[in-house]
């Protein structure tokens, strides 16, 4: 099988000689042991499969249906290569389509054929598909409407006439229409079980049947030459039967004529399937008399709507006739969507997305019901959240292009991730690019940075409103989050929690009192759910920047840059999470400027304001600060943007010069920690290089930069910085001073690199080789 075939198991030991043969004998021969022992042998063989020497012999009449339950699953596990499935299909189809076949054989064969056909539809020829479809149509419409007799009742107790009881609807009333999966009886006959089995496989059967090509297989060609009126169940002769029910001249039919015959027979199945689905939708208007039938209603209605969707996809002319049925189903749903109605709503939205344009129907009301009402109430329900995420991934393109579901309700979708981050990390990594556009990019980034805070808020909300009682009880026993639970119930804090748990986007990117909200939820920072969310969030943030840069929208990037400066100091209080996120933002800053160097001109005010204060280097923001200083020295060049005028260079120089003097003064103070000293030394080296680069592009600034570098050298000859760091810093300053003393040479050495990464790397390596030669020559000239 294509999807079910497994690789042979790699065992560290050898099987005893003759073990496989003995297991095969027990499975394939009906007189070998009890049914339980044969079932055990079949299970062992399936675990050892696929194996080349496990081959089922031809079925010999009479065939016990119980024997098929041991053999057919083994054939499925063996797959096409070893299971020889193709040779058994003609006999299986004979048992399904032949009226004289036992019902148990038909039921077992139909179940197995459904599994095989779902995985490998190419194994069936068009005439075989047509024959099975015709039989399924008959089972769907002509099943008995009376309950079967009790098969367990003894003859001695019930020797009188047996009373025939009609089947009932789910509400207990007598059924007045044909039998369906929602028809209730005390016991079911074989034709009723075949009716249920046919409906359960109907959607997949129709979907794969639509892709079937009108071509003949080897065993169907054999069937076309047969004139035998009644085939034998022996596998050797089963290939000689005309399984399609034709006249035996199918070999001479052209593909066009054969396609017409298939469509006519398939139409009979489609017609019966539509009647069946519409009847199930009508039956679901009844209230179940027994509570355990609610799940049956949900599963049947869900399958009926999706099957109707499949039928309309196969024949678009059916849409105007049956769209009102689905629309009526949506209209009668109440606003309180439980787990039962939530899943049905997903099927309704799937139908509307696929066929709404054909009848000019707006899908937004259904989207609002699902992504607003259902997600808000059921984000903690594992089954509902799983179905919603699977639906979103399967229809991401349609939802983005045809509706405003993602752009409007993405804050609600993030609740699913915040509640179960380990479960849905990969799903959201796939879905996130569809949530980002020019209108939502900023708010999405804010929401991503606030995901651990959202997780803590949802946990506190669960404690108060008991969305998940089991989780709430655990939280109360652990004693974590007492402060948060008290804070969420205070009236003055309601707006803060309303914002972080908002349903829709577009109400503002963030709030001014975000730091206060973080402090209110601080005691939940050690909760396992919040910790998992904090561990997973950096992955999504990195993916956000990758998506935004790949989209290449400069208008988005130019708004994201100030946001990165803002969010560095507004992160939920988990130290590891803060360090990881700040490091990612700092690294992505380099990529943003590498992709869009014009940011250095358009955001000159924001950059100079941020770099003007060394306070922006504290609290873990040193990487971002150092990267920004390096960017100023690297990209303030006319080769990147012609707007890099002398005035702009002077502006950046003045800002960097003030920072250099302030940093130099700080380094002379005693008592600085080793880590702070290392960061400050690194920043000073980058600062001096940036100043030299700016001066090399505006020679009027060279005297001021030389004076600044000379002062720094003198100040740190006796500073409190450790010796190794001081030597590195003084060596860098001396090199830059010597380079700037020759302006024409400085412009060449300190010029900006090419925007191409590979070219830039090669250029950098070449400059490093030339730097030593140039500096040696410069030093020699200066000494002379």
């Amino acid at each position: 099988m294509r999807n079910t075939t497994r690789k042979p198991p790699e065992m560290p030991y050898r099987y005893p000689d003759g073990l496989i043969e003995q297991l095969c004998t027990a499975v394939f021969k009906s007189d070998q042991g009890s049914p339980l022992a044969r079932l055990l042998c079949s299970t062992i063989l399936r675990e050892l499969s696929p194996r080349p020497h496990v081959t089922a012999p031809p079925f010999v009449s009479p065939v016990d249906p119980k024997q098929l339950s041991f053999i057919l699953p083994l054939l499925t596990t063996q797959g096409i290569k070893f299971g020889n499935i193709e040779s058994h299909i003609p006999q299986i189809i004979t048992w399904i389509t032949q009226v004289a076949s036992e019902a148990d054989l038909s039921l077992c064969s139909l179940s197995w054929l459904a599994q095989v056909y779902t995985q490998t539809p190419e194994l069936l020829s068009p005439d075989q598909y047509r024959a099975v479809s015709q039989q399924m149509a008959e089972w769907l419409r002509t099943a008995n409407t009376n309950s079967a007799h009790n098969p367990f009742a003894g003859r001695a107790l019930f020797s009188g006439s047996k009373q025939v009881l009609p089947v009932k609807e789910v509400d207990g009333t007598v059924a007045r229409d044909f039998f369906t999966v929602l028809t209730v009886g005390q016991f079911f006959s074989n034709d009723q079980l075949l009716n249920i089995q046919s409906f359960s496989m109907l959607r997949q059967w129709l979907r794969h049947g639509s892709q079937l090509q009108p071509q003949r297989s080897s065993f169907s060609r054999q069937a076309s030459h047969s004139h035998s009126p009644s085939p034998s169940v022996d596998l050797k002769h089963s290939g000689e039967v005309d399984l399609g029910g034709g006249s035996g001249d199918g070999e001479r039919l052209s593909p066009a004529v054969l396609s017409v015959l298939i469509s006519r027979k398939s139409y009979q199945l489609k017609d019966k399937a539509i009647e069946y689905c519409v009847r199930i939708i009508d039956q679901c208007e009844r209230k179940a008399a027994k509570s355990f039938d609610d799940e049956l209603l949900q599963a049947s209605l869900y399958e009926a709507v999706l099957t109707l969707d499949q039928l309309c996809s196969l024949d678009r002319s059916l849409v105007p006739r049956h769209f009102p049925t689905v629309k009526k189903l949506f209209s009668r749903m109440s606003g309180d969507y439980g787990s039962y109605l939530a899943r049905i709503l997903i099927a309704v939205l799937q139908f509307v997305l696929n066929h709404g344009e054909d009848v000019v129907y707006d899908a937004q009301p259904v989207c609002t019901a699902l992504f607003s009402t259902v997600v808000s109430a059921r984000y903690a329900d594992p089954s509902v959240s799983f179905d919603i995420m699977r639906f979103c991934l399967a229809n991401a393109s349609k939802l983005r292009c045809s509706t405003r579901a993602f752009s409007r309700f993405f804050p609600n979708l993030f609740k699913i991730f915040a509640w179960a981050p380990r479960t849905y990390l990969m799903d959201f990594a796939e879905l996130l690019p569809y949530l980002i556009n020019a209108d939502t990019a900023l708010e999405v980034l804010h929401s991503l940075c606030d995901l651990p805070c959202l997780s803590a808020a949802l946990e506190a909300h669960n404690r108060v409103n008991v969305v998940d009682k089991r989780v709430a009880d655990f939280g109360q026993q652990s004693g974590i989050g007492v402060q948060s639970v008290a804070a969420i119930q205070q009236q003055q804090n309601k707006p803060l929690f309303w914002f972080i748990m908002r349903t829709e986007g577009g109400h503002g990117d963030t709030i001014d009192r975000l730091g206060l909200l973080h402090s209110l939820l601080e005691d939940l920072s050690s909760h396992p759910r919040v910790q998992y969310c904090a561990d997973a969030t950096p992955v999504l943030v990195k993916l956000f920047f990758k998506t935004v840069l790949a989209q290449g929208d400069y208008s988005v990037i130019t708004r994201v840059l100030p946001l990165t400066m803002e969010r560095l100091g507004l992160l939920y209080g988990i130290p590891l999470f803060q360090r990881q996120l700040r490091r990612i933002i700092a690294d992505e800053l380099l990529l943003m400027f590498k992709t869009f160097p014009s940011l250095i001109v358009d955001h000159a005010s924001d950059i100079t304001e941020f770099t003007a204060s060394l306070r922006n280097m504290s609290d873990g923001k040193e990487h971002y600060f150092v990267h920004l200083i390096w960017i100023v020295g690297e990209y303030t060049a006319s080769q990147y943007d012609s707007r890099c005028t002398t005035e702009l260079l002077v502006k950046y120089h003045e800002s960097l010069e003030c920072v250099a003097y302030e940093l130099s003064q700080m380094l002379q103070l005693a008592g600085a920690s080793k880590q702070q000293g290392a960061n400050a030394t690194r920043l000073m080296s980058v600062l001096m290089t940036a100043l030299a680069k700016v001066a090399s592009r505006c020679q009027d600034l060279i005297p001021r930069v030389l004076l600044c570098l000379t002062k720094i050298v003198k100040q740190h000859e006796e500073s409190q910085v450790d010796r190794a760091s001081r030597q590195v810093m003084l060596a860098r300053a001396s090199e830059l001073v010597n380079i700037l003393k020759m302006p024409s040479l400085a412009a060449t050495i300190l010029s900006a690199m090419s925007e191409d990464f590979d070219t830039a790397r090669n250029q950098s390596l070449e400059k490093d080789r030339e730097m030593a030669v140039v500096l040696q020559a410069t030093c020699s000239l200066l000494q002379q």
Side-chain angles (χ1 to χ4, degrees):
M1 305 295 293
R2 178 170 29 185
N3 295 330
T4 59
T5 301
R6 299 172 298 176
K7 295 181 179 180
E10 298 179 1
M11 297 293 184
Y13 55 86
R14 295 181 60 185
Y15 306 117
D17 296 336
L19 173 63
I20 302 300
E21 290 75 8
Q22 293 177 9
L23 291 174
C24 291
T25 302
V27 173
F28 297 138
K29 292 186 178 181
S30 58
D31 57 348
Q32 299 293 318
S34 64
L36 186 59
R38 298 181 63 202
L39 176 62
L40 179 60
C41 293
S42 177
T43 304
I44 294 174
L45 280 177
R46 291 202 302 269
E47 290 298 322
L48 300 178
S49 296
R51 303 191 68 84
H53 302 299
V54 180
T55 305
F59 297 110
V60 180
S61 179
V63 176
D64 184 4
K66 294 182 179 179
Q67 185 181 3
L68 292 182
S69 63
F70 306 139
I71 299 177
L72 294 181
L74 180 58
L75 295 180
T76 305
T77 310
Q78 282 287 93
I80 297 176
K81 182 177 180 181
F82 299 120
N84 198 19
I85 292 177
E86 187 173 357
S87 65
H88 292 281
I89 285 181
Q91 181 63 72
I92 295 297
I93 294 180
T94 300
W95 287 331
I96 293 175
T97 58
Q98 194 173 34
V99 178
S101 299
E102 295 183 28
D104 291 340
L105 277 177
S106 299
L107 186 61
C108 187
S109 301
L110 185 64
S111 302
W112 181 78
L113 184 64
Q115 182 181 4
V116 170
Y117 185 68
T118 300
Q119 302 296 333
T120 53
E122 64 273 9
L123 288 181
L124 263 68
S125 65
D127 56 347
Q128 291 172 333
Y129 177 83
R130 171 169 51 91
V132 176
S133 298
Q134 186 176 2
Q135 186 61 55
M136 288 175 59
E138 183 178 351
W139 284 328
L140 286 175
R141 195 64 176 83
T142 61
N144 195 353
T145 56
N146 293 322
S147 295
H149 298 295
N150 187 353
F152 307 105
R155 294 182 179 180
L157 296 177
F158 301 93
S159 57
S161 61
K162 298 181 180 180
Q163 183 181 4
V164 178
L165 299 177
V167 293
K168 298 179 179 180
E169 304 287 359
V170 289
D171 60 354
T173 60
V174 177
R176 302 297 182 184
D177 210 334
F178 60 89
F179 181 90
T180 69
V181 68
L182 287 180
T183 308
V184 180
Q186 290 185 343
F187 301 96
F188 294 105
S189 60
N190 287 324
D191 63 332
Q192 291 170 344
L193 294 177
L194 287 167
N195 175 286
I196 296 172
Q197 175 63 36
S198 298
F199 174 69
S200 67
M201 61 179 284
L202 180 60
R203 178 161 56 95
Q204 296 297 333
W205 184 264
L206 291 170
R207 182 167 68 88
H208 292 290
S210 64
Q211 305 170 0
L212 196 63
Q213 296 297 326
Q215 58 188 9
R216 306 288 287 178
S217 64
S218 60
F219 44 83
S220 65
R221 285 194 294 269
Q222 294 173 5
S224 65
H225 294 294
S226 174
H227 300 282
S228 175
S230 57
S232 169
V233 295
D234 192 345
L235 185 62
K236 295 184 294 183
H237 304 291
S238 62
E240 300 176 357
V241 182
D242 185 8
L243 298 175
S247 60
D249 56 353
E251 183 70 23
R252 295 188 296 270
L253 294 178
S254 66
V257 175
L258 184 59
S259 179
V260 171
L261 289 175
I262 294 171
S263 63
R264 288 177 180 175
K265 295 297 182 181
S266 300
Y267 176 77
Q268 183 180 4
L269 175 62
K270 294 175 184 177
D271 186 46
K272 301 300 181 183
I274 289 174
E275 293 182 26
Y276 200 101
C277 294
V278 172
R279 168 148 165 74
I280 286 181
I281 295 175
D282 292 338
Q283 283 180 296
C284 289
E285 295 184 14
R286 302 172 184 268
K287 186 176 181 180
K290 299 178 181 179
S291 58
F292 55 78
D293 283 337
D294 287 337
E295 293 184 2
L296 175 63
L297 282 171
Q298 172 193 357
S300 302
L301 184 56
Y302 178 80
E303 188 67 21
V305 175
L306 290 183
T307 303
L308 195 60
D309 172 52
Q310 181 65 45
L311 289 164
C312 291
S313 297
L314 296 176
D315 187 357
R316 310 295 293 188
S317 63
L318 298 175
V319 175
R321 190 191 319 166
H322 297 288
F323 195 91
T325 302
V326 179
K327 184 178 178 182
K328 179 183 177 183
L329 175 62
F330 172 66
S331 300
R332 76 169 186 255
M333 289 181 178
S334 61
D336 184 16
Y337 296 99
S339 299
Y340 160 60
L341 289 178
R343 200 158 185 258
I344 307 305
L345 191 60
I346 294 175
V348 171
L349 181 54
Q350 181 70 72
F351 187 93
V352 172
L353 282 177
N354 292 340
H355 310 294
E357 293 183 359
D358 295 342
V359 293
V360 196
Y361 182 81
D362 185 12
Q364 195 60 39
V366 191
C367 290
T368 302
L370 178 63
F371 292 104
S372 178
T373 308
V374 173
V375 175
S376 295
R378 302 289 170 180
Y379 63 86
D381 189 321
S383 62
V384 174
S385 59
F386 175 80
D387 288 336
I388 290 175
M389 288 306 304
R390 187 177 63 172
F391 170 80
C392 289
L393 292 175
N395 299 274
S397 298
K398 290 183 180 179
L399 289 170
R400 181 178 184 179
C401 300
S402 304
T403 70
R404 295 191 300 114
F406 286 163
S407 60
R408 183 179 175 186
F409 299 111
F410 68 87
N412 225 19
L413 288 174
F414 280 135
K415 292 179 184 178
I416 297 177
F417 175 81
W419 187 258
R422 290 192 298 180
T423 304
Y424 297 114
L425 175 59
M426 298 304 297
D427 294 330
F428 268 87
E430 184 178 349
L431 186 63
L432 184 61
Y434 293 95
L435 307 182
I436 302 172
N437 57 44
D439 298 326
T440 64
L442 293 187
E443 192 172 356
V444 167
L445 181 55
H446 276 294
S447 299
L448 291 175
C449 294
D450 290 331
L451 279 176
C453 181
L454 174 61
S455 181
L458 293 177
E459 183 65 30
H461 175 72
N462 178 63
R463 305 276 183 89
V464 176
N465 297 277
V466 194
V467 177
D468 188 332
K469 188 177 186 303
R470 178 179 55 84
V471 176
D473 293 341
F474 168 77
Q476 293 174 358
Q477 294 173 5
S478 63
I480 301 176
V482 177
Q483 173 188 340
S484 301
V485 173
I488 198 174
Q489 299 181 70
Q490 296 176 4
Q491 192 63 32
Q492 65 270 23
N493 297 328
K494 293 288 185 182
L496 298 176
F497 286 95
W498 175 88
F499 179 82
I500 198 65
M501 295 188 296
R502 63 193 182 278
T503 300
E504 301 181 20
H507 297 291
D509 299 334
T510 186
I511 51 178
D512 296 333
R513 297 191 296 166
L514 190 58
L516 174 60
L517 179 61
H518 291 170
S519 63
L520 294 176
L521 297 169
E522 184 178 4
D523 61 338
L524 279 171
S525 61
S526 59
H527 191 279
R529 188 192 314 280
V530 181
Q531 289 285 341
Y532 292 138
C533 188
D535 293 339
T537 297
V539 177
L540 298 182
V541 172
K542 194 168 185 177
L543 179 60
F544 169 86
F545 284 103
K546 181 179 179 180
T547 302
V548 169
L549 290 173
Q551 291 176 352
D553 191 344
Y554 182 75
S555 63
V556 174
I557 297 296
T558 194
R559 289 179 290 149
V560 167
L561 178 60
L563 189 151
T564 60
M565 300 178 184
E566 175 187 353
R567 289 311 304 247
L568 286 175
L570 286 175
L571 297 174
Y572 186 65
I574 299 177
L576 179 60
F577 164 71
Q578 292 178 340
R579 290 196 299 270
Q580 290 179 340
L581 209 60
R582 286 167 179 162
R583 190 58 186 259
I584 288 175
I585 293 175
D587 293 340
E588 297 299 330
L589 180 70
L590 298 175
L591 294 177
M592 283 194 290
F593 276 89
K594 180 178 181 295
T595 308
F596 301 102
S598 296
L599 291 170
I600 200 71
V601 178
D602 295 329
H603 287 277
S605 300
D606 295 326
I607 295 173
T608 54
E609 181 181 355
F610 186 85
T611 56
S613 175
L614 288 178
R615 288 178 300 178
N616 291 324
M617 188 183 170
S618 59
D619 299 329
K621 296 180 284 186
E622 59 274 359
H623 294 293
Y624 189 94
F625 194 91
V626 171
H627 287 179
L628 198 57
I629 295 295
W630 180 87
I631 286 169
V632 171
E634 182 67 19
Y635 294 106
T636 50
S638 58
Q639 71 183 77
Y640 291 113
D641 196 311
S642 58
R643 295 175 295 169
C644 284
T645 60
T646 302
E647 291 77 8
L648 183 65
L649 294 175
V650 171
K651 181 178 180 179
Y652 274 120
H653 167 264
E654 292 176 349
S655 176
L656 296 179
E657 188 180 48
C658 293
V659 176
Y661 283 129
E662 183 179 355
L663 182 62
S664 178
Q665 184 67 27
M666 186 185 73
L667 285 173
Q668 294 183 43
L669 298 177
S673 66
K674 184 177 181 180
Q675 182 63 36
Q676 290 175 340
N679 291 333
T681 303
R682 176 188 175 212
L683 175 59
M684 178 58 78
S685 299
V686 176
L687 258 174
M688 293 187 297
T689 304
L691 279 169
K693 288 182 178 181
V694 172
S696 68
R697 298 160 194 156
C698 181
Q699 295 189 5
D700 294 341
L701 298 174
I702 290 180
R704 294 182 58 178
V705 174
L706 284 174
L707 178 61
C708 178
L709 295 177
T710 303
K711 288 183 177 180
I712 291 174
V713 171
K714 291 182 179 180
Q715 289 174 352
H716 290 283
E717 288 178 349
E718 302 295 335
S719 67
Q720 301 294 329
V721 182
D722 63 282
R723 181 180 178 184
S725 299
R726 186 171 67 250
Q727 287 179 347
V728 170
M729 186 170 54
L730 294 177
R732 173 59 60 87
S734 300
E735 291 174 358
L736 294 173
V737 168
N738 291 333
I739 291 174
L740 290 176
K741 286 182 178 180
M742 304 184 68
S744 58
L745 194 62
T748 302
I749 296 176
L750 300 175
S751 61
M753 296 181 182
S754 171
E755 63 276 4
D756 181 75
F757 180 78
D758 294 330
T759 305
R761 181 181 59 183
N762 296 332
Q763 186 178 359
S764 177
L765 293 175
E766 187 65 25
K767 284 186 176 181
D768 290 341
R769 299 188 189 98
E770 296 174 355
M771 181 73 74
V773 178
V774 173
L775 288 177
Q776 289 177 1
T778 304
C779 292
S780 300
L781 291 174
L782 293 175
Q783 290 175 359
Q784 294 176 1

